[in-house]
Amino acid sequence: MGLSLPRLDLRAQWPADQCAGRFGLATSSKISLREELTSPVFGSFSIFKDEDIEQDDLRSARTPWAVLPPPSIEPITDSFRCEVLVVGAGITGALVAERLSRQGRQVVIIDREVPSLGSTVVSTAMLLWEIDRPLFQLTELYGFEKAVRCYHASHQAARGLRALVAQYGVACHMRPRLSLYLAADDSPNLIQDEYSVRSRADLPSLLLGHAELLQRFAIARAGAILSRDAADADPVLLTRGLLDLSLKRGARLLKANAVAYDGTASSVTVGLEDGFSIEARHVVLATGYVMPDIVRPTAQQPASSWAIATAPQADNLWPGQALIWEATQNYHYARTTFDGRIIFGGEDDHGLIQPDARDAATPTKVRVLKERLTALWPRTSSHVAFAWSGAFDTTRDGLPLIGAVPGSKNIFAAFGYGGNGITFSLLAAELIGSLLSGGSSPLLDDFAFDRDVSG
């Protein structure tokens, strides 16, 4: 098809002195980077068992994203066979299906509910390549080589997602953005430590002191790291656009509830709630925060998160509308939308997991979010047009869960947990696509479900 998307290099990490050129940066161009950046311009720990969770349990209230009619979903009338079965039609399933259908594979996608209206619709769709765990902390945990490999892979995935959308003209309000990683208090030490390691890794970042941050963005913090190659989008439109691509290539979208998996033979048999079954050569689990019992990760941590969106205020936004997040473990984050709203989120809570408890806490969480937004950006309108909450999973090392499901033959899973989950989902699609074609990557060990995170 003449596809010119950038491909993820799934081999071992390149030496640091080769990284800059590979990513389009001159190795000695600190000044060029500054000029570019200163130019205008989200089962032992499972939250829910798969037999008792519904879409409303994953999120509450409306979000500012597109409201679309449900897609045409075929009913299943008999058992059948296919090459690849993708379980889950949210953003991760849509990315996996797009990648595999682009390879020419026969793909069937199943979902028991309306695609994109589970956890996808509550995503704030901040398409960052920066991982929840700062690079210097990931280096302390796993060593420089592995940490940098993960960061560069995430960086490539963020760029690849933008290229994919541009290549196929997916209408999802995607906009290239800068990102601002803000000091969370009066001390810029963490920011400086992070910038030092990023510079060593040749990642496209620039350190801003208090004065320059205030001048450029009118934000009064001790400092920040400014980075390029981020983006934002409407996650519902993105998901539906990607599904449409796959369907045009011959993929099928079916309504079904998978309740059992048998991966002991050369093919996988998936039992459905209605008594039918699907036999597939490969199965990819993309079920978001509803994790089947056959998946037992060692690194997952469930939580709930909240977000608000203001009324449109296009004349009252920070310069450049960069994506904003804070240099702290339980950070707050902010972005704008194509119609001029401010989205502000955070207040993650690992103790409020069940939907009723999460909803009961929402009024207090929304009040705190409004206060935090006003403190960050005093010019903001105080009118909140949307407020919502949702299930949100992280991992203890900030890395996703991608690859083969331990103990099951030909069953793979893609769980892009964390603040940059959509970026991880694109990375999962690339890794699984390569794996099914006989490829390998050290990243599959880095993201393994049974990896050791005891450090």
Side-chain angles (χ1 to χ4, degrees):
M1 298 180 62
L3 190 66
S4 59
L5 300 180
R7 296 298 301 276
L8 302 189
D9 192 330
L10 305 180
R11 299 167 297 176
Q13 177 60 38
W14 319 285
D17 61 357
Q18 296 178 8
C19 295
R22 186 179 292 273
F23 290 97
L25 302 177
T27 55
S28 60
S29 63
K30 299 277 185 172
I31 294 177
S32 300
L33 178 58
R34 174 174 291 273
E35 289 173 349
E36 182 171 350
L37 290 175
T38 54
S39 63
V41 285
F42 200 146
S44 56
F45 292 100
S46 295
I47 298 179
F48 300 108
K49 294 294 184 181
D50 55 0
E51 69 269 14
D52 60 15
I53 178 63
E54 298 179 356
Q55 280 185 333
D56 288 347
D57 294 325
L58 295 174
R59 80 286 189 273
S60 63
R62 287 188 58 221
T63 67
W65 310 128
V67 178
L68 302 175
S72 176
I73 306 179
E74 302 176 47
I76 290 180
T77 58
D78 202 353
S79 300
F80 63 90
R81 296 176 179 176
C82 64
E83 182 182 7
V84 182
L85 176 67
V86 178
V87 184
I91 182 60
T92 303
L95 281 163
V96 170
E98 189 284 322
R99 181 68 179 86
L100 298 182
S101 65
R102 190 175 0 125
Q103 288 182 332
R105 297 184 182 277
Q106 178 200 29
V107 177
V108 173
I109 313 151
I110 63 171
D111 203 308
R112 60 185 177 186
E113 310 231 36
V114 180
S116 77
L117 295 187
S119 54
T120 296
V121 76
V122 296
S123 170
T124 51
M126 293 175 59
L127 309 178
L128 296 162
W129 54 263
E130 296 151 299
I131 297 170
D132 282 350
R133 182 71 73 107
L135 179 58
F136 83 90
Q137 290 184 359
L138 203 61
T139 296
E140 292 172 351
L141 183 63
Y142 291 133
F144 181 75
E145 181 180 356
K146 177 175 175 177
V148 172
R149 178 170 62 236
C150 294
Y151 259 77
H152 276 306
S154 184
H155 181 213
Q156 283 187 286
R159 295 178 62 184
L161 183 58
R162 287 174 51 192
L164 176 66
V165 167
Q167 177 76 27
Y168 290 107
V170 179
C172 60
H173 303 304
M174 181 171 283
R175 307 176 301 173
R177 300 284 92 173
L178 301 174
S179 74
L180 269 178
Y181 187 46
L182 294 179
D185 50 36
D186 292 336
S187 172
N189 292 342
L190 190 151
I191 290 292
Q192 292 170 347
D193 290 345
E194 177 69 1
Y195 177 71
S196 176
V197 183
R198 288 195 195 182
S199 296
R200 181 183 168 200
D202 289 306
L203 287 164
S205 300
L206 178 69
L207 184 65
L208 302 180
H210 170 77
E212 190 171 8
L213 177 63
L214 189 62
Q215 179 183 16
R216 289 264 353 259
F217 295 98
I219 294 176
R221 291 289 181 93
I225 296 176
L226 181 65
S227 301
R228 69 180 189 195
D229 294 333
D232 56 27
D234 181 320
V236 173
L237 289 175
L238 176 58
T239 300
R240 297 287 284 274
L242 292 167
L243 288 174
D244 285 346
L245 282 176
S246 299
L247 297 178
K248 289 175 182 177
R249 296 174 185 145
R252 299 173 66 196
L253 177 59
L254 307 176
K255 186 175 181 62
N257 183 17
V259 295
Y261 300 85
D262 183 358
T264 59
S266 58
S267 60
V268 182
T269 300
V270 178
L272 306 180
E273 186 178 47
D274 57 12
F276 297 126
S277 64
I278 302 172
E279 183 180 337
R281 187 178 303 171
H282 308 287
V283 170
V284 182
L285 304 175
T287 54
Y289 303 125
V290 184
M291 190 171 283
D293 288 339
I294 62 171
V295 183
R296 299 176 180 86
T298 59
Q300 181 192 14
Q301 293 180 310
S304 292
S305 191
W306 286 260
I308 58 175
T310 71
Q313 47 181 317
D315 297 328
N316 195 30
L317 307 175
W318 50 89
Q321 300 181 46
L323 308 184
I324 296 174
W325 60 304
E326 295 178 315
T328 184
Q329 182 174 356
N330 293 316
Y331 57 84
H332 294 87
Y333 49 88
R335 60 159 288 193
T336 63
T337 63
F338 79 100
D339 58 349
R341 303 178 190 274
I342 295 175
I343 294 177
F344 190 81
E347 289 301 301
D348 295 358
D349 197 316
H350 293 275
L352 297 175
I353 304 302
Q354 296 302 322
D356 290 345
R358 188 176 65 224
D359 290 346
T362 294
T364 299
K365 295 287 189 178
V366 168
R367 175 179 53 79
V368 173
L369 287 175
K370 289 175 64 176
E371 293 171 353
R372 297 278 191 174
L373 173 57
T374 300
L376 173 70
W377 189 244
R379 304 176 194 177
T380 185
S381 163
S382 61
H383 177 61
V384 172
F386 299 92
W388 68 97
S389 64
F392 180 74
D393 265 24
T394 61
T395 56
R396 292 200 293 275
D397 56 7
L399 301 178
L401 302 169
I402 299 170
V405 175
S408 299
K409 293 173 60 177
N410 297 317
I411 301 180
F412 308 89
F415 295 102
Y417 293 159
N420 49 345
I422 294 178
T423 305
F424 283 158
S425 295
L426 186 283
L427 182 53
E430 290 286 343
L431 284 167
I432 291 173
S434 175
L435 194 59
L436 267 56
S437 296
S440 186
S441 169
L443 292 168
L444 292 167
D445 292 326
D446 300 339
F447 304 152
F449 284 76
D450 54 358
R451 63 182 181 264
D452 180 11
V453 293
S454 58

